[in-house]
């Protein structure tokens, strides 16, 4: 398949990137809002640290199932259809969360929202990766990921201006807005040329066997380790950030303000990764950003003053989200079109198990009186394991055709 026929025209390519990026922004807004909402709920519903960890982890439990199922379905029914349906599912469940009357009801709704959210992300990255020329592919997917930072910034603004005045329910209601956008997305986005030009769609059993075949086994093992360690550390750290700042002695509103400042550093993290990934390659950029994320985690865990916390938090956001962008760009490039969405979805699903465990571990450790330095040392080790896996098992895909 030539590059000419396997990528979209420039105008359609820009439209796809922006359209898929907005769906990504809404996803990030939902996850970001949850981190702020649980800090408010802890005060209003008198939740303990273990209960806070359960709420945040339930979102990730849904993402495990959503990522695996959506990846499988996207190879069968197309990227666009699954993208629209997952966006609808998570936004409707997010809006209904505003009417939760207790912890049990909220947990059920967050599971459903997580399933939609977990399915949308790998499908969107696969769609973009398949629709752009090889020399722009890595940069395009990292730029898609940069919309995540915009969504987190938006969630921090909503938390700062809306939650203290109108309550956490209004934040959840705003999270239902993407349901309207999904109706537009259905007409605005088309499936990738690579997917549409497939003559044969493999049965599920063959696709699952293929990602663990001799040709793909090494890449799959590396990706599963990478995704698990990155998602474990990200959700363990970032979903607890507002609560951690509150635990450090800052007032709730002040905690939201500091996290907003830290979140702003995500954008340059993405943009530098987007530039470097086409210059230095996927492997090197991933390893560098992961190692600097690990060092930032240790710094944040041992910081005491407001200035040190802010500086460490800014570095943590910058390097961690740059690594996320590189990981999303790298993953689809390691599988052929016939099993790409399945491979990406299964790697993301295994990673989401880390997203379940991370917040729960933090909640348990905080409940037992374990200090933040020890907690962040765990994340330091986890991120190092991910970097070693990329270094030993990863293959470079820069400027290589993905079939």
């Amino acid at each position: 398949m030539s590059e000419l026929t396997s990528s979209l025209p420039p105008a359609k390519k820009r439209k796809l990137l922006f359209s898929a990026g907005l769906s990504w922004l809404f996803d990030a807004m939902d996850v970001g809002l949850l981190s702020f909402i649980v800090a408010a709920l802890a005060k209003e519903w008198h939740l303990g640290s273990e209960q806070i960890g359960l709420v945040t982890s339930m979102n990730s439990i849904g993402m495990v199932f959503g990522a695996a199922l959506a990846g499988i379905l996207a190879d069968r029914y197309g990227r666009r259809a699954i993208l629209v349906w997952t966006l609808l599912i998570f936004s409707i469940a997010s809006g209904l969360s505003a009417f939760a009357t207790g912890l049990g009801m909220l947990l059920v709704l967050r599971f459903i929202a997580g399933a939609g959210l977990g399915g949308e992300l790998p499908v969107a990255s696969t769609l973009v990766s398949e629709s752009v020329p090889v020399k722009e592919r890595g940069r395009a997917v990292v730029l898609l990921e940069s919309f995540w930072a915009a969504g987190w910034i938006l969630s921090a603004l909503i938390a700062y201006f809306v939650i203290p005045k109108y309550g956490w329910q209004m934040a959840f209601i705003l999270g239902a807005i993407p349901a309207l956008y999904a109706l537009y997305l259905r007409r605005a986005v088309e499936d990738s040329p690579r997917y549409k030009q497939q003559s044969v769609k493999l049965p599920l059993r063959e696709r699952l066997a293929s990602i663990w075949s001799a040709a793909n086994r090494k890449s799959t093992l590396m990706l599963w380790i990478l995704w698990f360690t990155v998602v474990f550390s990200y959700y363990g750290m970032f979903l607890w950030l507002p609560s951690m700042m509150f635990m450090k002695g800052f007032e709730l509103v002040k905690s939201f303000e500091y996290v907003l400042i830290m979140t702003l550093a995500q954008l340059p993290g993405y943009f530098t990764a987007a530039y470097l990934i086409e210059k230095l390659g996927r492997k090197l950029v991933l390893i560098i950003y992961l190692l600097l994320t690990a060092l930032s985690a240790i710094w944040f865990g041992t910081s005491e003053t407001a200035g040190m916390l802010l500086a460490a938090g800014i570095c943590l956001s910058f390097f961690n989200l740059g690594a996320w962008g590189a990981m999303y760009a790298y993953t689809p490039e390691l599988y052929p079109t016939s099993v790409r969405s399945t491979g990406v979805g299964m790697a993301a699903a295994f990673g989401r198990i880390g997203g379940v465990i991370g917040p729960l571990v933090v909640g348990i450790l905080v409940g037992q009186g374990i200090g933040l330095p020890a907690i962040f040392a765990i994340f330091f080790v986890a991120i190092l394991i991910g970097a070693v896996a990329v270094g030993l098992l990863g293959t470079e895909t820069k400027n290589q055709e993905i079939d």
Side-chain angles (χ1 to χ4, degrees):
M1 186 185 301
S2 69
E3 185 172 310
L4 181 63
T5 59
S6 64
S7 60
L8 294 174
K12 286 189 175 183
K13 180 179 62 181
R14 289 191 295 269
K15 185 177 182 179
L16 169 64
L17 183 60
F18 184 73
S19 299
L22 280 181
S23 68
W24 208 295
L25 179 149
F26 290 131
D27 291 348
M29 184 183 79
D30 183 81
V31 174
L33 280 174
L34 183 62
S35 71
F36 295 104
I37 287 169
V38 292
L41 279 176
K43 293 184 66 178
E44 186 173 323
W45 287 3
H46 308 291
L47 301 179
S49 58
E50 291 87 351
Q51 291 172 306
I52 295 173
L54 183 60
V55 173
T56 54
S57 289
M58 187 57 69
N59 213 56
S60 294
I61 292 172
M63 293 176 82
V64 172
F65 291 94
L69 185 60
I72 289 169
L73 293 175
D75 273 335
R76 178 66 180 84
Y77 298 104
R79 285 63 162 129
R80 182 185 69 170
I82 305 305
L83 179 66
V84 171
W85 277 108
T86 51
L87 187 61
L88 274 172
I89 290 168
F90 103 77
S91 55
I92 292 172
S94 181
L96 291 175
S97 299
F99 305 99
T101 55
L103 183 61
M105 184 178 177
L106 181 62
L107 290 175
V108 171
L109 289 168
R110 292 321 302 171
F111 173 84
I112 298 171
L117 177 65
E120 191 274 331
L121 297 174
V123 173
S125 63
T126 300
L127 176 60
V128 172
S129 182
E130 291 178 341
S131 302
V132 297
V134 61
K135 292 183 179 180
E136 303 173 21
R137 193 174 61 224
R139 182 179 296 114
V141 177
V142 180
L143 289 176
L144 169 68
E145 250 275 285
S146 71
F147 281 84
W148 184 272
W152 262 85
I153 292 168
L154 183 59
S155 72
L157 289 171
I158 292 171
Y160 186 69
F161 292 107
V162 175
I163 292 178
K165 190 172 183 179
Y166 300 103
W168 56 269
Q169 293 91 342
M170 182 57 67
F172 271 137
I173 290 172
L174 291 174
I177 292 175
L180 300 174
Y181 179 68
L183 301 176
Y184 161 78
L185 198 65
R186 185 177 180 181
R187 293 180 175 272
V189 172
E190 59 184 74
D191 263 315
S192 71
R194 287 183 181 274
Y195 177 80
K196 290 190 292 187
Q197 291 173 20
Q198 282 189 112
S199 57
V200 178
K201 294 180 176 63
L202 297 178
L204 174 58
R205 180 178 295 181
E206 289 186 29
R207 279 183 273 145
L208 293 176
S210 177
I211 65 174
W212 285 104
S213 66
N216 296 317
R217 187 180 304 130
K218 188 177 176 182
S219 294
T220 297
L221 179 61
M222 181 273 295
L223 287 174
W224 284 34
I225 295 171
L226 173 65
W227 273 86
F228 184 91
T229 54
V230 169
V231 180
F232 168 81
S233 58
Y234 174 81
Y235 282 92
M237 293 186 295
F238 282 83
L239 284 183
W240 273 89
L241 266 186
S243 299
M244 285 175 177
M245 298 298 291
F246 189 61
M247 288 158 50
K248 287 278 191 179
F250 300 101
E251 294 181 358
L252 191 61
V253 173
K254 200 67 177 176
S255 298
F256 288 176
E257 181 182 328
Y258 285 156
V259 175
L260 171 60
I261 295 171
M262 295 175 193
T263 304
L264 290 171
Q266 294 182 11
L267 277 172
Y270 282 124
F271 294 149
T272 54
Y275 174 78
L276 293 173
I277 203 169
E278 299 295 2
K279 299 289 184 181
L280 304 178
R282 282 63 162 147
K283 276 188 64 174
L284 183 58
V285 169
L286 254 176
I287 292 170
I288 290 173
Y289 276 67
L290 286 171
L291 291 177
L292 292 174
T293 299
L295 292 175
S296 300
I298 286 292
W299 184 14
F300 185 88
T302 55
S303 296
E304 293 295 336
T305 66
M308 291 291 280
L309 280 168
L310 271 176
I314 286 170
C315 289
L316 194 61
S317 289
F318 181 98
F319 292 113
N320 187 268
L321 275 299
W324 266 95
M327 182 174 70
Y328 263 108
Y330 191 33
T331 305
E333 297 178 344
L334 293 169
Y335 294 107
T337 301
S338 59
V339 299
R340 180 169 299 117
S341 192
T342 300
V344 174
M346 294 303 291
F350 187 75
R352 298 301 173 186
I353 297 173
V356 175
I357 297 171
L360 279 176
V361 167
V362 175
I364 292 169
L365 293 178
V366 169
Q368 293 179 348
I370 305 298
L372 293 186
I375 292 173
F376 274 81
I378 295 173
F379 296 128
F380 170 81
V381 173
I383 297 165
L384 283 185
I385 292 172
V388 170
V390 175
L392 296 179
L393 301 174
T395 56
E396 184 55 59
T397 56
K398 175 187 171 186
N399 291 333
Q400 294 181 14
E401 279 292 349
I402 53 179
D403 279 310

